[in-house]
Amino acid sequence: MSLILSVETSCDDTSIAIFNNEKLLTQFTLSSALEQSKYGGVVPEIASREHLNNIHQCLINCLKEINLSVFDINYIVYTEYPGLPGSLHIGILFAKMLANLINVQAIGINHLCGHIFSAFINEDKISYPFLSLVVSGGNSVIYKVDSPVKYKVLNITVDDAIGEVYDKVARTLNWTYPGGPIIDRNYDENKATINFIKKWPEPTTNFSFSGLKTAVLNYINTKKMKNENIDEIEIASSFQKTAIELIIDKLQYYKSVYNINCLVLGGGVSANNLLRQSCKKITNDLYIPELKYTGDNAAMIGYYGYLLLKYNNKIK
Ligand code: KG4
């Protein structure tokens, strides 16, 4: 038995989890999303301040729930990058200090690896190779994954991440932050009739969602300037349909080029219903994270920490 404590503070969620090997024992998360929604997006300074206020409470709640002492922990893993520097620093400092205090190893984790493997938390086994789609507020990436330590970027966004564009479109429609869930909930297939951008120039072109964002914002602004009625549901649904079709196009291309059927989703946008349904149509070998593991969470960091430790024969 090895107890792994994980710390995630890359953006606006302060989260701590404890695993016994691959088994998640507890997770506690405090989010500053409500506070951030007043500003229509994440304010880094507020995120850092809230991590500072909340991190010890997350630790205490986790330990209490499973009736353990911090001195029972064998490893500490923490999100090292990528993320908001101020937010990351608080988690890193906390994890390193705690590890020093209880005399265990502290291991820095790539946040994106957490997302790649989050669909396997509570699964019996992982079958390699697989294609991973990580779509969130900060990232849009497709990987070919051969092992916990061997993964190759096949496609990555050159500008806005898809979640960022969801948030921007929602904000322009005066909908609340974060925009993804509200656009998802209001999606109406019959109203997705506006033609925004349709195709990638080449199958291998890197993800770029700023063109789609500009097309949607221009459409709204032109309507406003002409004093024409704006059908918000029509705009949001048309945007979502286009965005998901663009992602599915890419997945189908890499699926056929690499002849890999297994597709694994991760990241905040992987909560999206249309994306999930569309992926089910292109493969029957699909792994989707439970909703609670789609956004930022310490469970995915702890689970990847477990995979790394096991891969390096540090735990059985
Ligand atoms: O992974 P995440 O919590 O944070 C980052 O690391 O960025 O992702 C947050 C993003 C936000 O942009 C949010 O609007 C989007 O995920 N999101 C969604 C849905 N739920 C969250 N986007 C589309 N559909 C959803 N259901």
Side-chain angles (χ1 to χ4, degrees):
M1 151 165 153
S2 284
L3 292 173
I4 306 162
L5 183 140
S6 56
V7 179
E8 156 64 34
T9 62
S10 65
C11 190
D12 57 347
D13 295 309
T14 318
S15 187
I16 290 193
I18 301 176
F19 278 77
N20 178 3
N21 285 6
E22 76 273 36
K23 189 172 171 8
L24 176 63
L25 301 179
T26 178
Q27 171 175 256
F28 195 83
T29 304
L30 287 169
S31 175
S32 63
L34 198 63
E35 174 81 3
Q36 308 282 5
S37 67
K38 293 181 200 156
Y39 304 92
V42 177
V43 180
E45 179 56 34
I46 295 177
S48 303
R49 193 182 62 211
E50 290 303 302
H51 288 311
L52 210 51
N53 288 338
N54 293 336
I55 198 161
H56 66 287
Q57 198 55 49
C58 293
L59 175 66
I60 289 166
N61 284 16
C62 280
L63 292 171
K64 260 194 189 156
E65 193 184 330
I66 52 173
N67 205 15
L68 280 182
S69 147
V70 75
F71 291 96
D72 296 322
I73 300 295
N74 303 104
Y75 292 96
I76 295 184
V77 298
Y78 59 91
T79 301
E80 189 171 29
Y81 64 95
L84 299 172
S87 291
L88 286 169
H89 286 161
I90 289 162
I92 294 170
L93 189 65
F94 185 81
K96 286 190 173 177
M97 271 190 61
L98 197 58
N100 211 3
L101 177 78
I102 63 176
N103 199 22
V104 301
Q105 194 184 351
I107 303 163
I109 299 277
N110 177 347
H111 176 82
L112 293 170
C113 291
H115 279 310
I116 294 176
F117 291 92
S118 61
F120 295 109
I121 301 172
N122 298 329
E123 284 287 335
D124 289 341
K125 73 177 189 60
I126 304 175
S127 55
Y128 298 100
F130 62 83
L131 288 180
S132 153
L133 172 75
V134 175
V135 271
S136 69
N139 303 279
S140 311
V141 198
I142 299 175
Y143 298 92
K144 176 175 179 281
V145 184
D146 292 295
S147 81
V149 295
K150 190 168 174 225
Y151 46 90
K152 179 177 158 191
V153 174
L154 302 180
N155 201 291
I156 188 162
T157 187
V158 291
D159 43 50
D160 302 27
I162 183 63
E164 208 179 332
V165 179
Y166 263 92
D167 296 337
K168 185 78 198 195
V169 168
R171 198 162 71 190
T172 311
L173 291 170
N174 289 323
W175 290 3
T176 49
Y177 172 85
I182 186 164
I183 292 180
D184 190 12
R185 273 200 305 280
N186 283 286
Y187 179 70
D188 179 347
E189 192 184 355
N190 298 319
K191 285 199 144 200
T193 49
I194 308 167
N195 269 326
F196 296 120
I197 296 164
K198 271 290 165 231
K199 282 261 169 265
W200 297 110
E202 299 288 334
T204 49
T205 316
N206 269 326
F207 278 133
S208 162
F209 293 105
S210 69
L212 174 60
K213 178 184 75 179
T214 308
V216 179
L217 300 197
N218 281 348
Y219 181 91
I220 298 172
N221 290 334
T222 309
K223 286 259 175 200
K224 279 184 184 164
M225 265 162 37
K226 292 184 180 166
N227 264 336
E228 289 177 4
N229 267 350
I230 293 178
D231 185 336
E232 295 174 359
I233 306 289
E234 184 187 35
I235 296 169
S237 301
S238 305
F239 154 70
Q240 164 153 302
K241 185 164 184 251
T242 310
I244 302 300
E245 277 176 6
L246 287 168
I247 294 172
I248 295 292
D249 267 9
K250 286 265 174 262
L251 289 174
Q252 277 187 304
Y253 170 75
Y254 289 111
K255 223 173 131 284
S256 71
V257 166
Y258 288 95
N259 197 19
I260 296 176
N261 202 30
C262 183
L263 173 62
V264 181
L265 307 187
V269 182
S270 73
N272 186 272
N273 286 300
L274 184 63
L275 177 64
R276 289 173 171 225
Q277 286 160 16
S278 307
C279 287
K280 278 183 195 152
K281 287 184 190 154
I282 63 166
T283 180
N284 52 11
D285 195 3
L286 177 67
Y287 291 84
I288 305 178
E290 288 177 47
L291 278 181
K292 59 186 171 197
Y293 305 134
T294 54
D296 295 339
N297 65 89
M300 69 181 192
I301 302 303
Y303 183 68
Y304 184 66
Y306 156 76
L307 292 176
L308 269 188
L309 288 163
K310 190 160 175 252
Y311 184 86
N312 291 316
N313 292 321
K314 296 223 173 146
I315 55 178
K316 290 256 180 295

